[in-house]
Amino acid sequence: MKITKATPEAIADAAAALRRGELVAFPTETVYGLGGDATNARAVAAIFAAKGRPRFNPLIAHVADVAAAERLGRLTAHGRRLADALWPGPLTLVLQRQPGCPIADLATAGLATVALRVPAHPIAQRLLAEAGVPIAGPSANRSGHVSPTTAAHVAADLAGRVAVILDGGPTVVGLESTVVDVTGDAPVILRLGGVSREAIAEVIGAPIEVATGHADRPASPGMLARHYAPATHLRLNAREVRDGEALLGFGPHLPPHAGPVINLSASGDLVEAAANLFAALRTLDAAGATAIAAMPIPDEGLGEAINDRLRRAATQP
Ligand code: TXA
Ligand code: MG
């Protein structure tokens, strides 16, 4: 396993490895993905094995553009509007599979639907173009760990389990994509993420609900109560810091604290906070604190997805 700067040659090599059925970690604008050829069931199985996923949750398939997506899934009217407005970008659409869709059943967990995303990151785009196959790509972390926003995070979790890690620097969005099911009459958000609920509502011209999955049979595994998890206990909506705690701050006014502190955004910018969230959780998790005190984050725009991730990270197993 090696971390490789994503030069054109390195991307071409990685694409060849994908076509041989090997796994490649690659940057997207949201988080790093653990990529495998989505049409190759053995490669998809290798993804589950590398992540140590307890169950075969359905995976996202990344594709190069809307035309490639349409060959795999049926774009409904809402789906087309969202794709035209927000692809490439941090949006995943759940669609009915097209007849003859070559995505491996293991990648869709045997469902009649398929989750597709056109990533905006130039390295992901180039990898897709060179590989010429849809790339299954969950976040490149061990199951239950925090999603990786740098190549070093990927290496910390998956060293020895992936052929190559393409390094494209830190990801800019920092949260996974927003997953929207457009198979029904009204679109539903299955997972909050890098596109805000408001932005989606604006495109479809109507308010949109976030699905409430059942704990035992979630609509989408992103809905599992505990999913994004540091080992250190996370104390939410903290307005003061206790002795021994680390502080996950937000905004210009932090409570005074002598211990470890990371401010997600000193200016109170939710986009910046989202980009910093997972790396901050990893750093504070390693600080040896008794708990991480997380200051309140406004529940609007990307703040809704940040709070979703923080609540999951705070849920005890
Ligand atoms: O930002 C992202 O989406 C990252 C980057 C690498 O692209 N990928 C990612 O993939 O987070 P993954 O596999 O960890 O998350 C896929 C989400 C899960 O919540 C999964 O349950 C849902 O999409 N999903 C996939 N296929 C589905 C389907 N057919 N129906 C409902 N949900 C589905
Ligand atoms: Mg994940």
Side-chain angles (χ1 to χ4, degrees), residues 51 53 138-139 141 145 147 176 191 227-228:
K51 282 186 68 87
R53 277 212 175 173
S139 50
N141 52 278
H145 288 193
S147 292
E176 296 86 347
R191 178 179 74 181
H227 190 77
Y228 306 89

Side-chain angles (χ1 to χ4, degrees), residues 137-246:
S139 50
N141 52 278
R142 297 278 293 169
S143 187
H145 288 193
V146 171
S147 292
T149 56
T150 68
H153 294 164
V154 178
D157 263 25
L158 297 177
R161 296 171 174 269
V162 54
V164 59
I165 300 172
L166 288 175
D167 190 351
T171 62
V172 295
V173 176
L175 291 173
E176 296 86 347
S177 60
T178 301
V179 180
V180 182
D181 181 344
V182 290
T183 59
D185 289 338
V188 178
I189 295 178
L190 300 182
R191 178 179 74 181
L192 289 160
V195 184
S196 70
R197 181 211 295 251
E198 293 90 329
I200 289 168
E202 195 175 309
V203 172
I204 62 177
I208 180 163
E209 294 297 315
V210 180
T212 48
H214 296 280
D216 53 346
R217 208 179 66 79
S220 167
M223 307 286 294
L224 284 173
R226 183 176 170 86
H227 190 77
Y228 306 89
T232 310
H233 173 64
L234 194 63
R235 191 164 67 78
L236 299 182
N237 294 314
R239 296 179 187 276
E240 84 298 323
V241 205
R242 301 173 187 157
D243 277 352
E245 286 186 335

Side-chain angles (χ1 to χ4, degrees), residues 4-262:
T4 310
K5 191 162 173 289
T7 60
E9 297 72 34
I11 297 172
D13 287 349
L18 281 172
R19 287 195 301 269
R20 286 194 303 269
E22 295 172 20
L23 303 188
V24 169
F26 64 102
T28 81
E29 71 277 25
T30 58
V31 300
Y32 275 72
L34 175 59
D37 177 353
T39 67
N40 177 339
R42 292 183 68 103
V44 175
I47 292 175
F48 287 112
K51 282 186 68 87
R53 277 212 175 173
R55 289 181 298 152
F56 291 155
N57 299 328
L59 305 178
I60 291 172
H62 299 77
V63 291
D65 51 31
V66 178
E70 282 202 88
R71 288 195 286 276
L72 304 174
R74 265 211 328 266
L75 270 184
T76 53
H78 284 305
R80 183 171 305 282
R81 222 168 287 146
L82 286 166
D84 286 345
L86 297 169
W87 276 350
L91 170 75
T92 295
L93 293 176
V94 173
L95 308 172
Q96 293 293 337
R97 290 175 73 128
Q98 292 282 21
C101 167
I103 302 278
D105 283 332
L106 187 55
T108 58
L111 298 171
T113 53
V114 61
L116 301 174
R117 171 156 115 79
V118 178
H121 198 292
I123 295 170
Q125 279 280 342
R126 188 163 182 137
L127 185 65
L128 282 163
E130 301 231 357
V133 292
I135 301 176
S139 50
N141 52 278
R142 297 278 293 169
S143 187
H145 288 193
V146 171
S147 292
T149 56
T150 68
H153 294 164
V154 178
D157 263 25
L158 297 177
R161 296 171 174 269
V162 54
V164 59
I165 300 172
L166 288 175
D167 190 351
T171 62
V172 295
V173 176
L175 291 173
E176 296 86 347
S177 60
T178 301
V179 180
V180 182
D181 181 344
V182 290
T183 59
D185 289 338
V188 178
I189 295 178
L190 300 182
R191 178 179 74 181
L192 289 160
V195 184
S196 70
R197 181 211 295 251
E198 293 90 329
I200 289 168
E202 195 175 309
V203 172
I204 62 177
I208 180 163
E209 294 297 315
V210 180
T212 48
H214 296 280
D216 53 346
R217 208 179 66 79
S220 167
M223 307 286 294
L224 284 173
R226 183 176 170 86
H227 190 77
Y228 306 89
T232 310
H233 173 64
L234 194 63
R235 191 164 67 78
L236 299 182
N237 294 314
R239 296 179 187 276
E240 84 298 323
V241 205
R242 301 173 187 157
D243 277 352
E245 286 186 335
L247 174 63
L248 184 68
F250 177 81
H253 307 293
L254 303 194
H257 183 50
V261 177
I262 293 180

